[in-house]
Short mmCIF file of all heavy atoms in Angstrom, two decimals:
data_model
loop_
_atom_site.label_atom_id
_atom_site.label_comp_id
_atom_site.label_asym_id
_atom_site.label_seq_id
_atom_site.Cartn_x
_atom_site.Cartn_y
_atom_site.Cartn_z
N TYR A 247 13.91 -8.05 -2.38
CA TYR A 247 13.08 -6.94 -1.92
C TYR A 247 11.65 -7.44 -1.72
O TYR A 247 10.93 -7.68 -2.68
CB TYR A 247 13.11 -5.79 -2.91
CG TYR A 247 12.39 -4.56 -2.41
CD1 TYR A 247 13.03 -3.64 -1.61
CD2 TYR A 247 11.06 -4.34 -2.74
CE1 TYR A 247 12.38 -2.52 -1.14
CE2 TYR A 247 10.38 -3.23 -2.27
CZ TYR A 247 11.06 -2.32 -1.48
OH TYR A 247 10.40 -1.22 -1.01
N SER A 248 11.30 -7.64 -0.46
CA SER A 248 9.96 -8.12 -0.13
C SER A 248 9.44 -7.30 1.03
O SER A 248 10.07 -7.19 2.07
CB SER A 248 9.99 -9.61 0.24
OG SER A 248 8.76 -10.00 0.80
N LEU A 249 8.27 -6.72 0.83
CA LEU A 249 7.66 -5.91 1.88
C LEU A 249 7.35 -6.77 3.09
O LEU A 249 7.56 -6.35 4.24
CB LEU A 249 6.36 -5.27 1.34
CG LEU A 249 5.65 -4.28 2.26
CD1 LEU A 249 6.55 -3.11 2.60
CD2 LEU A 249 4.36 -3.79 1.62
N GLN A 250 6.88 -7.99 2.85
CA GLN A 250 6.56 -8.89 3.96
C GLN A 250 7.81 -9.25 4.74
O GLN A 250 7.81 -9.27 5.97
CB GLN A 250 5.88 -10.15 3.41
CG GLN A 250 5.48 -11.15 4.48
CD GLN A 250 4.64 -12.26 3.93
OE1 GLN A 250 3.54 -12.05 3.46
NE2 GLN A 250 5.15 -13.47 3.97
N ARG A 251 8.91 -9.55 4.02
CA ARG A 251 10.16 -9.90 4.71
C ARG A 251 10.69 -8.73 5.53
O ARG A 251 11.17 -8.90 6.65
CB ARG A 251 11.20 -10.33 3.69
CG ARG A 251 10.93 -11.67 3.04
CD ARG A 251 11.99 -12.01 2.04
NE ARG A 251 11.68 -13.20 1.28
CZ ARG A 251 12.40 -13.64 0.25
NH1 ARG A 251 13.47 -12.96 -0.12
NH2 ARG A 251 12.06 -14.74 -0.40
N ARG A 252 10.62 -7.55 4.95
CA ARG A 252 11.13 -6.38 5.66
C ARG A 252 10.31 -6.11 6.92
O ARG A 252 10.87 -5.82 7.98
CB ARG A 252 11.10 -5.15 4.74
CG ARG A 252 12.00 -5.27 3.52
CD ARG A 252 11.96 -4.03 2.68
NE ARG A 252 12.72 -2.95 3.27
CZ ARG A 252 12.79 -1.73 2.77
NH1 ARG A 252 12.16 -1.45 1.66
NH2 ARG A 252 13.50 -0.80 3.34
N LEU A 253 8.99 -6.21 6.81
CA LEU A 253 8.15 -6.00 7.99
C LEU A 253 8.44 -7.06 9.05
O LEU A 253 8.54 -6.74 10.25
CB LEU A 253 6.67 -6.05 7.58
CG LEU A 253 6.14 -4.83 6.83
CD1 LEU A 253 4.71 -5.09 6.37
CD2 LEU A 253 6.17 -3.59 7.71
N LEU A 254 8.57 -8.33 8.61
CA LEU A 254 8.82 -9.40 9.55
C LEU A 254 10.19 -9.24 10.21
O LEU A 254 10.33 -9.44 11.43
CB LEU A 254 8.73 -10.75 8.83
CG LEU A 254 8.65 -11.99 9.71
CD1 LEU A 254 7.42 -11.93 10.59
CD2 LEU A 254 8.63 -13.25 8.85
N LEU A 255 11.20 -8.86 9.43
CA LEU A 255 12.54 -8.67 9.98
C LEU A 255 12.57 -7.52 10.98
O LEU A 255 13.10 -7.65 12.09
CB LEU A 255 13.54 -8.42 8.84
CG LEU A 255 14.99 -8.15 9.27
CD1 LEU A 255 15.55 -9.35 10.02
CD2 LEU A 255 15.85 -7.82 8.06
N ASN A 256 12.00 -6.38 10.59
CA ASN A 256 12.00 -5.21 11.48
C ASN A 256 11.22 -5.50 12.76
O ASN A 256 11.65 -5.12 13.86
CB ASN A 256 11.39 -4.01 10.76
CG ASN A 256 12.26 -3.53 9.61
OD1 ASN A 256 13.46 -3.78 9.59
ND2 ASN A 256 11.67 -2.86 8.64
N THR A 257 10.08 -6.17 12.61
CA THR A 257 9.29 -6.49 13.79
C THR A 257 10.02 -7.48 14.69
O THR A 257 9.94 -7.39 15.92
CB THR A 257 7.93 -7.07 13.36
OG1 THR A 257 7.31 -6.18 12.43
CG2 THR A 257 7.01 -7.24 14.55
N SER A 258 10.74 -8.44 14.07
CA SER A 258 11.50 -9.42 14.85
C SER A 258 12.59 -8.73 15.65
O SER A 258 12.82 -9.06 16.82
CB SER A 258 12.11 -10.48 13.93
OG SER A 258 11.11 -11.16 13.21
N ILE A 259 13.27 -7.77 15.04
CA ILE A 259 14.31 -7.02 15.75
C ILE A 259 13.72 -6.27 16.94
O ILE A 259 14.26 -6.30 18.05
CB ILE A 259 15.03 -6.05 14.79
CG1 ILE A 259 15.82 -6.83 13.73
CG2 ILE A 259 15.96 -5.12 15.56
CD1 ILE A 259 16.42 -5.97 12.65
N VAL A 260 12.60 -5.60 16.71
CA VAL A 260 11.94 -4.87 17.80
C VAL A 260 11.49 -5.84 18.89
O VAL A 260 11.63 -5.57 20.09
CB VAL A 260 10.73 -4.07 17.25
CG1 VAL A 260 9.94 -3.45 18.39
CG2 VAL A 260 11.21 -2.99 16.29
N LEU A 261 10.95 -7.00 18.46
CA LEU A 261 10.46 -7.99 19.42
C LEU A 261 11.61 -8.55 20.26
O LEU A 261 11.48 -8.70 21.49
CB LEU A 261 9.74 -9.11 18.69
CG LEU A 261 9.08 -10.18 19.56
CD1 LEU A 261 8.02 -9.54 20.45
CD2 LEU A 261 8.45 -11.27 18.69
N VAL A 262 12.74 -8.86 19.62
CA VAL A 262 13.90 -9.36 20.36
C VAL A 262 14.39 -8.33 21.38
O VAL A 262 14.70 -8.66 22.52
CB VAL A 262 15.03 -9.75 19.38
CG1 VAL A 262 16.33 -10.00 20.12
CG2 VAL A 262 14.65 -10.98 18.57
N PHE A 263 14.46 -7.08 20.94
CA PHE A 263 14.88 -6.01 21.85
C PHE A 263 13.91 -5.89 23.02
O PHE A 263 14.31 -5.75 24.18
CB PHE A 263 14.95 -4.68 21.09
CG PHE A 263 15.27 -3.50 21.96
CD1 PHE A 263 16.57 -3.24 22.38
CD2 PHE A 263 14.26 -2.65 22.39
CE1 PHE A 263 16.85 -2.16 23.19
CE2 PHE A 263 14.53 -1.56 23.20
CZ PHE A 263 15.84 -1.32 23.60
N PHE A 264 12.63 -5.97 22.73
CA PHE A 264 11.61 -5.85 23.78
C PHE A 264 11.69 -7.03 24.75
O PHE A 264 11.60 -6.86 25.97
CB PHE A 264 10.22 -5.79 23.14
CG PHE A 264 9.09 -5.79 24.13
CD1 PHE A 264 8.78 -4.66 24.85
CD2 PHE A 264 8.35 -6.95 24.36
CE1 PHE A 264 7.75 -4.66 25.77
CE2 PHE A 264 7.33 -6.97 25.27
CZ PHE A 264 7.02 -5.82 25.98
N ILE A 265 11.86 -8.26 24.22
CA ILE A 265 11.96 -9.44 25.07
C ILE A 265 13.19 -9.36 25.96
O ILE A 265 13.15 -9.67 27.16
CB ILE A 265 12.00 -10.71 24.20
CG1 ILE A 265 10.66 -10.93 23.49
CG2 ILE A 265 12.36 -11.93 25.03
CD1 ILE A 265 9.49 -11.21 24.41
N ALA A 266 14.33 -8.92 25.37
CA ALA A 266 15.56 -8.79 26.16
C ALA A 266 15.38 -7.76 27.28
O ALA A 266 15.78 -7.99 28.43
CB ALA A 266 16.72 -8.39 25.25
N ALA A 267 14.77 -6.61 26.92
CA ALA A 267 14.55 -5.57 27.93
C ALA A 267 13.59 -6.06 29.02
O ALA A 267 13.81 -5.82 30.22
CB ALA A 267 14.01 -4.30 27.28
N MET A 268 12.54 -6.77 28.59
CA MET A 268 11.57 -7.27 29.57
C MET A 268 12.19 -8.32 30.48
O MET A 268 11.93 -8.34 31.69
CB MET A 268 10.36 -7.86 28.84
CG MET A 268 9.22 -8.24 29.76
SD MET A 268 7.69 -8.60 28.88
CE MET A 268 8.18 -10.05 27.96
#
Side-chain angles (χ1 to χ4, degrees):
Y247 186 85
S248 169
L249 185 60
Q250 181 171 296
R251 289 179 187 173
R252 296 181 76 184
L253 286 174
L254 193 60
L255 178 61
N256 293 337
T257 308
S258 300
I259 294 173
V260 173
L261 185 60
V262 168
F263 176 79
F264 175 76
I265 292 295
M268 187 168 65

